[in-house]
Amino acid sequence: MNIQFDQKFVDIARHITSESKSLDQWAEIESDDMFQQGDFSGGFDATENEFCFSYENAGKEFWFQLSLNEITKVAKGEITEVEGRPAE
Protein backbone atom coordinates (compact mmCIF):
# COMPACT_ATOMS: atom_id res chain seq x y z
CA MET A 1 0.00 0.00 0.00
CA ASN A 2 1.24 3.46 -0.86
CA ILE A 3 1.19 5.64 2.29
CA GLN A 4 1.00 9.40 1.83
CA PHE A 5 2.71 11.41 4.55
CA ASP A 6 0.29 13.85 6.16
CA GLN A 7 1.26 16.89 8.21
CA LYS A 8 1.32 14.81 11.39
CA PHE A 9 4.02 12.52 10.00
CA VAL A 10 5.96 15.47 8.60
CA ASP A 11 5.86 16.91 12.13
CA ILE A 12 7.33 13.66 13.47
CA ALA A 13 10.11 13.84 10.86
CA ARG A 14 10.83 17.46 11.74
CA HIS A 15 10.98 16.60 15.44
CA ILE A 16 13.45 13.77 14.72
CA THR A 17 15.71 16.02 12.65
CA SER A 18 15.53 18.83 15.22
CA GLU A 19 17.08 16.45 17.76
CA SER A 20 20.33 16.39 15.71
CA LYS A 21 21.22 12.95 17.04
CA SER A 22 23.56 10.46 15.37
CA LEU A 23 22.49 6.88 14.67
CA ASP A 24 24.48 5.78 17.73
CA GLN A 25 22.63 8.29 19.89
CA TRP A 26 19.25 7.13 18.56
CA ALA A 27 20.28 3.53 19.26
CA GLU A 28 20.98 4.43 22.90
CA ILE A 29 17.38 5.61 23.39
CA GLU A 30 15.74 3.05 21.12
CA SER A 31 11.95 2.83 21.50
CA ASP A 32 9.34 1.37 19.18
CA ASP A 33 6.62 3.80 20.26
CA MET A 34 8.52 7.03 20.82
CA PHE A 35 6.46 8.90 18.21
CA GLN A 36 2.69 8.73 17.99
CA GLN A 37 0.72 11.11 15.81
CA GLY A 38 -2.60 10.39 14.13
CA ASP A 39 -2.43 7.06 12.29
CA PHE A 40 1.36 6.77 12.74
CA SER A 41 3.26 5.14 15.60
CA GLY A 42 6.92 4.18 15.79
CA GLY A 43 10.45 4.91 16.79
CA PHE A 44 14.07 3.97 16.28
CA ASP A 45 15.04 0.31 16.06
CA ALA A 46 18.75 -0.30 16.76
CA THR A 47 18.69 -3.75 15.13
CA GLU A 48 17.38 -2.32 11.86
CA ASN A 49 19.30 0.93 12.36
CA GLU A 50 16.24 2.73 11.01
CA PHE A 51 13.04 4.33 12.17
CA CYS A 52 10.23 1.77 12.05
CA PHE A 53 6.59 2.84 11.93
CA SER A 54 3.15 1.37 11.78
CA TYR A 55 0.28 3.05 9.94
CA GLU A 56 -3.37 2.21 10.43
CA ASN A 57 -5.96 2.70 7.70
CA ALA A 58 -9.52 1.36 7.63
CA GLY A 59 -8.76 -1.14 10.40
CA LYS A 60 -5.66 -2.51 8.67
CA GLU A 61 -2.08 -2.05 9.87
CA PHE A 62 0.92 -1.48 7.61
CA TRP A 63 4.62 -1.23 8.43
CA PHE A 64 7.43 0.79 6.90
CA GLN A 65 11.00 1.80 7.72
CA LEU A 66 12.97 4.93 6.95
CA SER A 67 16.64 5.74 7.40
CA LEU A 68 17.71 8.91 9.18
CA ASN A 69 18.57 10.37 5.78
CA GLU A 70 15.09 9.55 4.46
CA ILE A 71 13.50 11.09 7.58
CA THR A 72 15.41 14.29 6.80
CA LYS A 73 14.03 14.22 3.25
CA VAL A 74 10.48 13.79 4.59
CA ALA A 75 11.01 16.80 6.86
CA LYS A 76 12.13 18.85 3.84
CA GLY A 77 9.22 17.67 1.69
CA GLU A 78 11.48 15.74 -0.70
CA ILE A 79 9.81 12.40 0.13
CA THR A 80 6.02 12.50 0.41
CA GLU A 81 5.07 8.82 0.45
CA VAL A 82 6.37 5.34 1.15
CA GLU A 83 5.37 1.78 0.31
CA GLY A 84 3.91 0.07 3.36
CA ARG A 85 3.72 -3.69 3.80
CA PRO A 86 0.89 -5.45 5.64
CA ALA A 87 1.67 -6.04 9.31
CA GLU A 88 2.59 -9.61 10.12
Side-chain angles (χ1 to χ4, degrees):
M1 172 185 190
N2 219 21
I3 300 169
Q4 297 285 325
F5 294 134
D6 62 11
Q7 187 59 48
K8 290 181 182 196
F9 191 79
V10 172
D11 290 344
I12 290 172
R14 288 180 178 161
H15 177 81
I16 291 169
T17 58
S18 74
E19 294 285 323
S20 299
K21 289 181 170 65
S22 68
L23 289 177
D24 289 337
Q25 290 171 314
W26 281 112
E28 289 176 11
I29 58 169
E30 161 182 53
S31 171
D32 63 355
D33 62 354
M34 183 178 289
F35 306 103
Q36 297 181 23
Q37 290 281 349
D39 297 323
F40 297 94
S41 177
F44 191 80
D45 184 292
T47 303
E48 299 291 332
N49 220 24
E50 291 189 320
F51 291 88
C52 299
F53 287 92
S54 66
Y55 169 76
E56 291 194 32
N57 183 341
K60 295 184 179 181
E61 184 180 12
F62 299 88
W63 294 341
F64 64 94
Q65 295 174 220
L66 296 169
S67 67
L68 184 55
N69 185 49
E70 290 168 324
I71 289 286
T72 300
K73 289 181 178 183
V74 171
K76 292 179 180 179
E78 296 172 9
I79 295 177
T80 59
E81 63 186 24
V82 68
E83 183 67 28
R85 64 185 183 282
E88 298 172 356

